[in-house]
Short mmCIF file of all heavy atoms in Angstrom, two decimals:
data_model
loop_
_atom_site.label_atom_id
_atom_site.label_comp_id
_atom_site.label_asym_id
_atom_site.label_seq_id
_atom_site.Cartn_x
_atom_site.Cartn_y
_atom_site.Cartn_z
N MET A 25 -14.53 23.95 0.72
CA MET A 25 -14.01 23.96 -0.64
C MET A 25 -12.79 23.04 -0.72
O MET A 25 -11.91 23.08 0.13
CB MET A 25 -13.63 25.38 -1.01
CG MET A 25 -13.24 25.53 -2.43
SD MET A 25 -13.23 27.29 -2.82
CE MET A 25 -11.79 27.36 -3.79
N LYS A 26 -12.76 22.21 -1.73
CA LYS A 26 -11.65 21.29 -1.90
C LYS A 26 -10.42 22.02 -2.43
O LYS A 26 -10.53 22.94 -3.23
CB LYS A 26 -12.01 20.19 -2.88
CG LYS A 26 -12.99 19.20 -2.37
CD LYS A 26 -13.17 18.09 -3.37
CE LYS A 26 -14.12 17.06 -2.84
NZ LYS A 26 -14.30 15.97 -3.78
N SER A 27 -9.27 21.57 -1.96
CA SER A 27 -8.04 22.13 -2.50
C SER A 27 -7.74 21.46 -3.84
O SER A 27 -8.16 20.32 -4.07
CB SER A 27 -6.88 21.92 -1.52
OG SER A 27 -6.54 20.56 -1.47
N PRO A 28 -7.02 22.11 -4.72
CA PRO A 28 -6.73 21.51 -6.02
C PRO A 28 -5.86 20.25 -5.90
O PRO A 28 -5.84 19.42 -6.79
CB PRO A 28 -5.99 22.60 -6.78
CG PRO A 28 -5.67 23.66 -5.82
CD PRO A 28 -6.51 23.46 -4.60
N ASN A 29 -5.16 20.08 -4.79
CA ASN A 29 -4.29 18.92 -4.61
C ASN A 29 -5.04 17.72 -4.06
O ASN A 29 -4.46 16.67 -3.86
CB ASN A 29 -3.13 19.26 -3.69
CG ASN A 29 -2.20 20.27 -4.32
OD1 ASN A 29 -2.13 20.37 -5.53
ND2 ASN A 29 -1.52 21.03 -3.50
N SER A 30 -6.32 17.84 -3.75
CA SER A 30 -7.07 16.74 -3.17
C SER A 30 -7.64 15.79 -4.22
O SER A 30 -8.33 14.85 -3.88
CB SER A 30 -8.20 17.27 -2.29
OG SER A 30 -9.16 17.90 -3.09
N ARG A 31 -7.35 16.03 -5.47
CA ARG A 31 -7.87 15.16 -6.54
C ARG A 31 -7.12 13.84 -6.56
O ARG A 31 -5.93 13.77 -6.33
CB ARG A 31 -7.70 15.86 -7.88
CG ARG A 31 -8.56 17.10 -7.99
CD ARG A 31 -8.40 17.76 -9.30
NE ARG A 31 -8.35 16.77 -10.37
CZ ARG A 31 -8.45 17.04 -11.63
NH1 ARG A 31 -8.60 18.27 -12.01
NH2 ARG A 31 -8.39 16.10 -12.54
N ILE A 32 -7.85 12.80 -6.84
CA ILE A 32 -7.26 11.48 -6.97
C ILE A 32 -6.82 11.31 -8.42
O ILE A 32 -7.59 11.54 -9.34
CB ILE A 32 -8.27 10.38 -6.58
CG1 ILE A 32 -8.68 10.55 -5.13
CG2 ILE A 32 -7.68 9.01 -6.83
CD1 ILE A 32 -9.76 9.59 -4.70
N GLY A 33 -5.57 10.91 -8.60
CA GLY A 33 -5.03 10.76 -9.94
C GLY A 33 -5.54 9.51 -10.64
O GLY A 33 -6.04 8.59 -10.03
N ARG A 34 -5.41 9.54 -11.94
CA ARG A 34 -5.77 8.39 -12.76
C ARG A 34 -4.54 7.93 -13.53
O ARG A 34 -3.68 8.72 -13.87
CB ARG A 34 -6.86 8.76 -13.75
CG ARG A 34 -8.21 8.96 -13.13
CD ARG A 34 -9.21 9.27 -14.23
NE ARG A 34 -10.53 9.44 -13.69
CZ ARG A 34 -11.56 8.65 -14.00
NH1 ARG A 34 -11.41 7.67 -14.85
NH2 ARG A 34 -12.73 8.85 -13.47
N SER A 35 -4.49 6.65 -13.79
CA SER A 35 -3.41 6.09 -14.58
C SER A 35 -3.51 6.60 -16.01
O SER A 35 -4.60 6.60 -16.60
CB SER A 35 -3.49 4.57 -14.56
OG SER A 35 -2.62 4.02 -15.51
N ALA A 36 -2.39 7.01 -16.58
CA ALA A 36 -2.39 7.50 -17.95
C ALA A 36 -2.69 6.37 -18.94
O ALA A 36 -3.29 6.60 -19.98
CB ALA A 36 -1.05 8.15 -18.28
N LYS A 37 -2.27 5.15 -18.61
CA LYS A 37 -2.46 4.03 -19.53
C LYS A 37 -3.88 3.48 -19.49
O LYS A 37 -4.49 3.26 -20.52
CB LYS A 37 -1.50 2.90 -19.19
CG LYS A 37 -0.06 3.20 -19.50
CD LYS A 37 0.82 2.01 -19.18
CE LYS A 37 2.27 2.32 -19.50
NZ LYS A 37 3.12 1.18 -19.15
N THR A 38 -4.40 3.25 -18.28
CA THR A 38 -5.69 2.57 -18.16
C THR A 38 -6.86 3.49 -17.84
O THR A 38 -8.00 3.11 -18.04
CB THR A 38 -5.63 1.49 -17.06
OG1 THR A 38 -5.41 2.13 -15.80
CG2 THR A 38 -4.54 0.48 -17.34
N GLY A 39 -6.57 4.67 -17.31
CA GLY A 39 -7.64 5.58 -16.92
C GLY A 39 -8.26 5.22 -15.58
O GLY A 39 -9.19 5.86 -15.13
N GLN A 40 -7.72 4.19 -14.92
CA GLN A 40 -8.24 3.78 -13.62
C GLN A 40 -7.67 4.68 -12.52
O GLN A 40 -6.60 5.25 -12.67
CB GLN A 40 -7.89 2.33 -13.32
CG GLN A 40 -8.53 1.37 -14.28
CD GLN A 40 -8.12 -0.07 -13.99
OE1 GLN A 40 -7.13 -0.32 -13.33
NE2 GLN A 40 -8.89 -1.00 -14.50
N PHE A 41 -8.40 4.78 -11.41
CA PHE A 41 -7.93 5.57 -10.29
C PHE A 41 -6.72 4.89 -9.66
O PHE A 41 -6.64 3.66 -9.60
CB PHE A 41 -9.02 5.75 -9.23
CG PHE A 41 -10.09 6.69 -9.67
CD1 PHE A 41 -11.33 6.21 -10.05
CD2 PHE A 41 -9.86 8.05 -9.70
CE1 PHE A 41 -12.32 7.08 -10.47
CE2 PHE A 41 -10.85 8.93 -10.10
CZ PHE A 41 -12.08 8.44 -10.50
N VAL A 42 -5.78 5.70 -9.18
CA VAL A 42 -4.57 5.18 -8.54
C VAL A 42 -4.68 5.46 -7.05
O VAL A 42 -4.83 6.59 -6.62
CB VAL A 42 -3.31 5.87 -9.11
CG1 VAL A 42 -2.07 5.39 -8.41
CG2 VAL A 42 -3.22 5.64 -10.61
N LEU A 43 -4.63 4.40 -6.26
CA LEU A 43 -4.70 4.52 -4.81
C LEU A 43 -3.30 4.37 -4.26
O LEU A 43 -2.73 3.27 -4.27
CB LEU A 43 -5.62 3.45 -4.22
CG LEU A 43 -5.82 3.50 -2.72
CD1 LEU A 43 -6.54 4.79 -2.32
CD2 LEU A 43 -6.61 2.30 -2.26
N THR A 44 -2.72 5.46 -3.78
CA THR A 44 -1.38 5.41 -3.22
C THR A 44 -1.43 4.92 -1.79
O THR A 44 -2.50 4.88 -1.17
CB THR A 44 -0.73 6.81 -3.24
OG1 THR A 44 -1.50 7.68 -2.41
CG2 THR A 44 -0.67 7.38 -4.66
N SER A 45 -0.29 4.55 -1.24
CA SER A 45 -0.26 4.07 0.14
C SER A 45 -0.66 5.19 1.10
O SER A 45 -1.33 4.94 2.10
CB SER A 45 1.12 3.53 0.50
OG SER A 45 2.11 4.53 0.35
N ALA A 46 -0.28 6.44 0.80
CA ALA A 46 -0.65 7.56 1.66
C ALA A 46 -2.16 7.75 1.67
O ALA A 46 -2.78 7.96 2.73
CB ALA A 46 0.04 8.84 1.19
N ARG A 47 -2.78 7.65 0.52
CA ARG A 47 -4.24 7.79 0.42
C ARG A 47 -4.93 6.62 1.13
O ARG A 47 -5.92 6.79 1.82
CB ARG A 47 -4.63 7.84 -1.05
CG ARG A 47 -6.04 8.10 -1.36
CD ARG A 47 -6.54 9.47 -1.44
NE ARG A 47 -5.88 10.42 -2.28
CZ ARG A 47 -6.13 11.71 -2.13
NH1 ARG A 47 -7.00 12.13 -1.25
NH2 ARG A 47 -5.53 12.58 -2.88
N GLY A 48 -4.36 5.42 0.99
CA GLY A 48 -4.90 4.24 1.66
C GLY A 48 -4.82 4.37 3.17
O GLY A 48 -5.74 3.96 3.89
N GLU A 49 -3.72 4.94 3.67
CA GLU A 49 -3.58 5.17 5.11
C GLU A 49 -4.65 6.12 5.64
O GLU A 49 -5.19 5.92 6.72
CB GLU A 49 -2.19 5.71 5.43
CG GLU A 49 -1.10 4.68 5.33
CD GLU A 49 0.27 5.28 5.61
OE1 GLU A 49 0.37 6.34 6.26
OE2 GLU A 49 1.26 4.67 5.17
N LYS A 50 -4.95 7.15 4.87
CA LYS A 50 -5.97 8.11 5.29
C LYS A 50 -7.34 7.45 5.34
O LYS A 50 -8.12 7.68 6.28
CB LYS A 50 -6.00 9.30 4.33
CG LYS A 50 -4.81 10.20 4.45
CD LYS A 50 -4.89 11.35 3.47
CE LYS A 50 -3.66 12.22 3.53
NZ LYS A 50 -3.71 13.33 2.57
N ILE A 51 -7.64 6.63 4.36
CA ILE A 51 -8.93 5.92 4.35
C ILE A 51 -9.02 4.97 5.53
O ILE A 51 -10.03 4.91 6.23
CB ILE A 51 -9.11 5.16 3.01
CG1 ILE A 51 -9.26 6.15 1.85
CG2 ILE A 51 -10.31 4.23 3.08
CD1 ILE A 51 -9.17 5.52 0.48
N SER A 52 -7.95 4.25 5.80
CA SER A 52 -7.93 3.32 6.92
C SER A 52 -8.06 4.04 8.26
O SER A 52 -8.72 3.55 9.18
CB SER A 52 -6.64 2.50 6.91
OG SER A 52 -6.59 1.69 5.77
N ALA A 53 -7.44 5.21 8.37
CA ALA A 53 -7.52 5.99 9.61
C ALA A 53 -8.95 6.40 9.90
O ALA A 53 -9.39 6.38 11.06
CB ALA A 53 -6.61 7.21 9.52
N VAL A 54 -9.70 6.73 8.88
CA VAL A 54 -11.11 7.09 9.06
C VAL A 54 -11.88 5.91 9.61
O VAL A 54 -12.76 6.05 10.46
CB VAL A 54 -11.73 7.57 7.72
CG1 VAL A 54 -13.23 7.69 7.82
CG2 VAL A 54 -11.11 8.89 7.30
N GLU A 55 -11.53 4.71 9.17
CA GLU A 55 -12.18 3.49 9.63
C GLU A 55 -11.65 3.01 10.98
O GLU A 55 -12.15 2.05 11.54
CB GLU A 55 -12.00 2.38 8.59
CG GLU A 55 -12.62 2.69 7.25
CD GLU A 55 -14.13 2.79 7.31
OE1 GLU A 55 -14.75 2.07 8.10
OE2 GLU A 55 -14.68 3.61 6.56
N GLY A 56 -10.59 3.67 11.49
CA GLY A 56 -10.02 3.29 12.77
C GLY A 56 -9.03 2.15 12.68
O GLY A 56 -8.71 1.52 13.69
N MET A 57 -8.52 1.87 11.49
CA MET A 57 -7.57 0.77 11.31
C MET A 57 -6.15 1.32 11.19
O MET A 57 -5.93 2.36 10.59
CB MET A 57 -7.90 -0.03 10.05
CG MET A 57 -9.28 -0.65 10.09
SD MET A 57 -9.68 -1.67 8.65
CE MET A 57 -9.41 -0.58 7.28
N THR A 58 -5.21 0.61 11.78
CA THR A 58 -3.80 0.97 11.65
C THR A 58 -3.00 -0.29 11.34
O THR A 58 -3.44 -1.40 11.62
CB THR A 58 -3.25 1.59 12.95
OG1 THR A 58 -3.41 0.65 14.01
CG2 THR A 58 -3.96 2.89 13.29
N LEU A 59 -1.81 -0.09 10.79
CA LEU A 59 -0.94 -1.22 10.48
C LEU A 59 -0.23 -1.68 11.74
O LEU A 59 0.14 -0.87 12.59
CB LEU A 59 0.11 -0.81 9.45
CG LEU A 59 -0.38 -0.55 8.03
CD1 LEU A 59 0.77 -0.04 7.18
CD2 LEU A 59 -0.97 -1.80 7.43
N SER A 60 0.00 -2.98 11.83
CA SER A 60 0.78 -3.52 12.94
C SER A 60 2.25 -3.18 12.68
O SER A 60 2.65 -2.95 11.53
CB SER A 60 0.61 -5.03 13.02
OG SER A 60 1.19 -5.64 11.89
N PRO A 61 3.05 -3.15 13.74
CA PRO A 61 4.48 -2.87 13.52
C PRO A 61 5.13 -3.86 12.57
O PRO A 61 6.00 -3.49 11.78
CB PRO A 61 5.07 -3.01 14.93
CG PRO A 61 3.93 -2.74 15.85
CD PRO A 61 2.71 -3.25 15.14
N ARG A 62 4.70 -5.12 12.61
CA ARG A 62 5.25 -6.13 11.71
C ARG A 62 4.93 -5.80 10.26
O ARG A 62 5.79 -5.90 9.38
CB ARG A 62 4.67 -7.49 12.09
CG ARG A 62 5.14 -8.61 11.22
CD ARG A 62 4.63 -9.95 11.74
NE ARG A 62 4.94 -11.01 10.82
CZ ARG A 62 4.03 -11.76 10.22
NH1 ARG A 62 2.77 -11.61 10.47
NH2 ARG A 62 4.40 -12.70 9.38
N MET A 63 3.70 -5.40 9.98
CA MET A 63 3.31 -5.07 8.61
C MET A 63 4.00 -3.80 8.14
O MET A 63 4.39 -3.70 6.97
CB MET A 63 1.79 -4.93 8.51
CG MET A 63 1.32 -4.75 7.08
SD MET A 63 1.83 -6.04 5.93
CE MET A 63 0.87 -7.40 6.48
N VAL A 64 4.19 -2.83 9.02
CA VAL A 64 4.92 -1.61 8.66
C VAL A 64 6.33 -1.99 8.20
O VAL A 64 6.82 -1.47 7.19
CB VAL A 64 4.98 -0.62 9.85
CG1 VAL A 64 5.94 0.51 9.58
CG2 VAL A 64 3.60 -0.08 10.16
N GLU A 65 6.99 -2.90 8.92
CA GLU A 65 8.34 -3.33 8.56
C GLU A 65 8.35 -4.05 7.21
O GLU A 65 9.22 -3.81 6.38
CB GLU A 65 8.92 -4.24 9.65
CG GLU A 65 10.30 -4.76 9.34
CD GLU A 65 11.33 -3.68 9.10
OE1 GLU A 65 11.23 -2.60 9.72
OE2 GLU A 65 12.23 -3.89 8.26
N ILE A 66 7.39 -4.92 6.99
CA ILE A 66 7.33 -5.66 5.72
C ILE A 66 7.13 -4.69 4.55
O ILE A 66 7.80 -4.79 3.52
CB ILE A 66 6.19 -6.70 5.75
CG1 ILE A 66 6.52 -7.82 6.75
CG2 ILE A 66 5.95 -7.30 4.36
CD1 ILE A 66 5.38 -8.75 7.03
N LEU A 67 6.23 -3.73 4.71
CA LEU A 67 5.98 -2.77 3.63
C LEU A 67 7.18 -1.86 3.40
O LEU A 67 7.49 -1.52 2.26
CB LEU A 67 4.73 -1.95 3.94
CG LEU A 67 3.41 -2.73 3.93
CD1 LEU A 67 2.27 -1.85 4.37
CD2 LEU A 67 3.14 -3.32 2.57
N SER A 68 7.86 -1.47 4.47
CA SER A 68 9.03 -0.61 4.29
C SER A 68 10.16 -1.37 3.60
O SER A 68 10.93 -0.78 2.85
CB SER A 68 9.49 -0.03 5.62
OG SER A 68 9.91 -1.03 6.50
N GLN A 69 10.25 -2.69 3.83
CA GLN A 69 11.24 -3.51 3.11
C GLN A 69 10.98 -3.45 1.61
O GLN A 69 11.91 -3.31 0.82
CB GLN A 69 11.16 -4.97 3.54
CG GLN A 69 11.79 -5.31 4.84
CD GLN A 69 11.61 -6.78 5.17
OE1 GLN A 69 11.25 -7.59 4.30
NE2 GLN A 69 11.84 -7.14 6.42
N GLY A 70 9.72 -3.55 1.24
CA GLY A 70 9.37 -3.51 -0.17
C GLY A 70 9.71 -2.18 -0.81
O GLY A 70 10.20 -2.13 -1.95
N VAL A 71 9.49 -1.10 -0.07
CA VAL A 71 9.81 0.23 -0.59
C VAL A 71 11.32 0.39 -0.73
O VAL A 71 11.82 0.89 -1.74
CB VAL A 71 9.22 1.33 0.33
CG1 VAL A 71 9.73 2.69 -0.07
CG2 VAL A 71 7.71 1.28 0.28
N ARG A 72 12.06 -0.06 0.30
CA ARG A 72 13.53 0.06 0.25
C ARG A 72 14.12 -0.72 -0.92
O ARG A 72 15.08 -0.29 -1.55
CB ARG A 72 14.15 -0.45 1.56
CG ARG A 72 14.08 0.52 2.70
CD ARG A 72 14.99 0.09 3.84
NE ARG A 72 14.72 -1.27 4.29
CZ ARG A 72 13.95 -1.60 5.33
NH1 ARG A 72 13.35 -0.65 6.02
NH2 ARG A 72 13.78 -2.86 5.67
N ARG A 73 13.54 -1.88 -1.21
CA ARG A 73 14.04 -2.71 -2.31
C ARG A 73 13.55 -2.22 -3.68
O ARG A 73 14.01 -2.69 -4.71
CB ARG A 73 13.57 -4.15 -2.14
CG ARG A 73 14.16 -4.85 -0.95
CD ARG A 73 13.65 -6.26 -0.92
NE ARG A 73 13.96 -6.95 0.31
CZ ARG A 73 13.51 -8.16 0.61
NH1 ARG A 73 12.73 -8.81 -0.23
NH2 ARG A 73 13.83 -8.72 1.75
N GLY A 74 12.57 -1.32 -3.68
CA GLY A 74 12.04 -0.82 -4.95
C GLY A 74 11.19 -1.85 -5.68
O GLY A 74 11.21 -1.90 -6.90
N LEU A 75 10.45 -2.65 -4.93
CA LEU A 75 9.66 -3.71 -5.53
C LEU A 75 8.40 -3.18 -6.19
O LEU A 75 7.84 -2.17 -5.77
CB LEU A 75 9.26 -4.73 -4.45
CG LEU A 75 10.39 -5.40 -3.68
CD1 LEU A 75 9.82 -6.33 -2.62
CD2 LEU A 75 11.30 -6.16 -4.62
N SER A 76 7.94 -3.89 -7.20
CA SER A 76 6.68 -3.55 -7.86
C SER A 76 5.53 -4.02 -6.98
O SER A 76 5.74 -4.72 -5.98
CB SER A 76 6.60 -4.22 -9.23
OG SER A 76 6.46 -5.62 -9.06
N GLY A 77 4.32 -3.70 -7.35
CA GLY A 77 3.15 -4.10 -6.58
C GLY A 77 3.03 -5.61 -6.45
O GLY A 77 2.77 -6.13 -5.37
N ASP A 78 3.23 -6.31 -7.54
CA ASP A 78 3.15 -7.78 -7.51
C ASP A 78 4.23 -8.37 -6.63
O ASP A 78 4.01 -9.32 -5.89
CB ASP A 78 3.25 -8.36 -8.92
CG ASP A 78 2.01 -8.09 -9.76
OD1 ASP A 78 0.92 -7.92 -9.16
OD2 ASP A 78 2.13 -8.06 -10.99
N GLU A 79 5.42 -7.81 -6.70
CA GLU A 79 6.53 -8.30 -5.88
C GLU A 79 6.27 -8.03 -4.40
O GLU A 79 6.59 -8.87 -3.55
CB GLU A 79 7.85 -7.65 -6.32
CG GLU A 79 8.30 -8.08 -7.69
CD GLU A 79 9.44 -7.25 -8.24
OE1 GLU A 79 9.53 -6.04 -7.91
OE2 GLU A 79 10.23 -7.80 -9.01
N ARG A 80 5.67 -6.87 -4.09
CA ARG A 80 5.34 -6.57 -2.69
C ARG A 80 4.28 -7.53 -2.17
O ARG A 80 4.37 -8.00 -1.03
CB ARG A 80 4.85 -5.13 -2.54
CG ARG A 80 6.00 -4.15 -2.44
CD ARG A 80 5.49 -2.77 -2.26
NE ARG A 80 4.97 -2.39 -3.58
CZ ARG A 80 4.34 -1.29 -3.85
NH1 ARG A 80 4.06 -0.44 -2.93
NH2 ARG A 80 3.93 -1.02 -5.07
N ARG A 81 3.29 -7.84 -3.00
CA ARG A 81 2.26 -8.79 -2.57
C ARG A 81 2.87 -10.17 -2.31
O ARG A 81 2.52 -10.84 -1.34
CB ARG A 81 1.15 -8.87 -3.62
CG ARG A 81 0.19 -7.69 -3.55
CD ARG A 81 -0.97 -7.85 -4.51
NE ARG A 81 -0.62 -7.54 -5.89
CZ ARG A 81 -0.50 -6.31 -6.37
NH1 ARG A 81 -0.70 -5.27 -5.60
NH2 ARG A 81 -0.19 -6.11 -7.63
N SER A 82 3.80 -10.58 -3.15
CA SER A 82 4.49 -11.86 -2.94
C SER A 82 5.29 -11.83 -1.64
O SER A 82 5.30 -12.82 -0.90
CB SER A 82 5.43 -12.16 -4.10
OG SER A 82 4.70 -12.35 -5.28
N LEU A 83 5.95 -10.72 -1.37
CA LEU A 83 6.72 -10.58 -0.13
C LEU A 83 5.81 -10.69 1.09
O LEU A 83 6.13 -11.39 2.05
CB LEU A 83 7.45 -9.24 -0.11
CG LEU A 83 8.22 -8.90 1.16
CD1 LEU A 83 9.38 -9.87 1.37
CD2 LEU A 83 8.72 -7.46 1.11
N ILE A 84 4.65 -10.04 1.04
CA ILE A 84 3.69 -10.10 2.15
C ILE A 84 3.22 -11.52 2.36
O ILE A 84 3.19 -12.03 3.49
CB ILE A 84 2.50 -9.14 1.89
CG1 ILE A 84 2.98 -7.70 1.95
CG2 ILE A 84 1.37 -9.40 2.89
CD1 ILE A 84 1.97 -6.70 1.43
N LYS A 85 2.85 -12.21 1.28
CA LYS A 85 2.40 -13.60 1.40
C LYS A 85 3.49 -14.48 1.98
O LYS A 85 3.24 -15.33 2.84
CB LYS A 85 1.98 -14.14 0.02
CG LYS A 85 0.71 -13.54 -0.50
CD LYS A 85 0.42 -14.06 -1.89
CE LYS A 85 -0.75 -13.35 -2.51
NZ LYS A 85 -0.96 -13.79 -3.90
N GLU A 86 4.72 -14.27 1.55
CA GLU A 86 5.84 -15.06 2.03
C GLU A 86 6.05 -14.83 3.53
O GLU A 86 6.25 -15.78 4.29
CB GLU A 86 7.09 -14.64 1.25
CG GLU A 86 8.36 -15.33 1.65
CD GLU A 86 9.53 -14.77 0.85
OE1 GLU A 86 9.44 -14.69 -0.38
OE2 GLU A 86 10.53 -14.42 1.48
N GLU A 87 5.99 -13.60 3.98
CA GLU A 87 6.19 -13.28 5.39
C GLU A 87 5.06 -13.82 6.25
O GLU A 87 5.30 -14.27 7.37
CB GLU A 87 6.32 -11.76 5.58
CG GLU A 87 7.58 -11.18 5.00
CD GLU A 87 8.84 -11.67 5.69
OE1 GLU A 87 8.81 -11.89 6.91
OE2 GLU A 87 9.85 -11.86 5.00
N ILE A 88 3.84 -13.80 5.74
CA ILE A 88 2.71 -14.32 6.49
C ILE A 88 2.83 -15.84 6.64
O ILE A 88 2.54 -16.39 7.70
CB ILE A 88 1.38 -13.91 5.83
CG1 ILE A 88 1.16 -12.42 6.03
CG2 ILE A 88 0.22 -14.71 6.39
CD1 ILE A 88 -0.02 -11.86 5.28
N ARG A 89 3.30 -16.51 5.60
CA ARG A 89 3.48 -17.96 5.68
C ARG A 89 4.56 -18.33 6.70
O ARG A 89 4.47 -19.35 7.35
CB ARG A 89 3.88 -18.52 4.31
CG ARG A 89 2.73 -18.57 3.36
CD ARG A 89 3.13 -19.25 2.06
NE ARG A 89 2.10 -19.06 1.08
CZ ARG A 89 2.27 -18.48 -0.10
NH1 ARG A 89 3.46 -18.07 -0.45
NH2 ARG A 89 1.27 -18.32 -0.93
N LYS A 90 5.59 -17.49 6.83
CA LYS A 90 6.68 -17.76 7.77
C LYS A 90 6.19 -17.74 9.22
O LYS A 90 6.70 -18.46 10.05
CB LYS A 90 7.78 -16.71 7.64
CG LYS A 90 8.66 -16.88 6.44
CD LYS A 90 9.73 -15.82 6.46
CE LYS A 90 10.58 -15.84 5.21
NZ LYS A 90 11.56 -14.75 5.20
N LYS A 91 5.20 -16.89 9.51
CA LYS A 91 4.76 -16.71 10.89
C LYS A 91 4.13 -17.98 11.45
O LYS A 91 4.24 -18.26 12.64
CB LYS A 91 3.76 -15.56 10.98
CG LYS A 91 3.36 -15.26 12.41
CD LYS A 91 2.48 -14.06 12.53
CE LYS A 91 2.16 -13.79 13.98
NZ LYS A 91 1.28 -12.68 14.16
N LYS A 92 3.45 -18.76 10.62
CA LYS A 92 2.74 -19.96 11.10
C LYS A 92 3.64 -20.99 11.63
O LYS A 92 4.50 -21.29 12.02
CB LYS A 92 1.90 -20.56 9.99
CG LYS A 92 0.76 -19.68 9.61
CD LYS A 92 -0.05 -20.33 8.52
CE LYS A 92 -1.21 -19.43 8.14
NZ LYS A 92 -2.03 -20.00 7.11
#
C-alpha cells in the first residue's frame, strides 16, 4: 500500500509533474547511477546561491566547459 506522501506533486500553474532533486536521486539509484563528487559540488553551489533552474543549468554548462 502506498503512503499518502508518495504522491508526485504537480505544478499549480501548468499542471505538469514536478521532479525534485530528491525524487531524481531515487530514480537514478534504481538505475545504479550516482553523481560524481564534482557534480555534487556544482549542484550544491547552485542551491547555496539560490539559483533558478535555468541559472543552475547555465552554471553546469559553464563548469563543464572549464574542465576541457
Side-chain angles (χ1 to χ4, degrees):
M25 187 166 139
K26 289 185 178 181
S27 70
N29 294 334
S30 68
R31 294 180 42 167
I32 298 175
R34 288 182 178 243
S35 169
K37 290 182 180 178
T38 64
Q40 295 178 341
F41 288 105
V42 177
L43 182 65
T44 63
S45 60
R47 185 85 53 195
E49 286 178 21
K50 289 179 183 179
I51 293 169
S52 295
V54 169
E55 298 295 326
M57 299 183 305
T58 59
L59 290 175
S60 67
R62 179 174 173 241
M63 186 56 70
V64 169
E65 178 58 32
I66 292 170
L67 293 175
S68 64
Q69 282 179 15
V71 171
R72 281 194 305 263
R73 293 182 190 173
L75 302 177
S76 69
D78 289 333
E79 292 169 329
R80 278 181 285 175
R81 282 185 281 282
S82 295
L83 176 65
I84 292 168
K85 289 176 187 176
E86 178 183 310
E87 291 295 325
I88 289 172
R89 285 185 191 122
K90 284 182 186 176
K91 185 175 182 182
K92 292 181 180 181

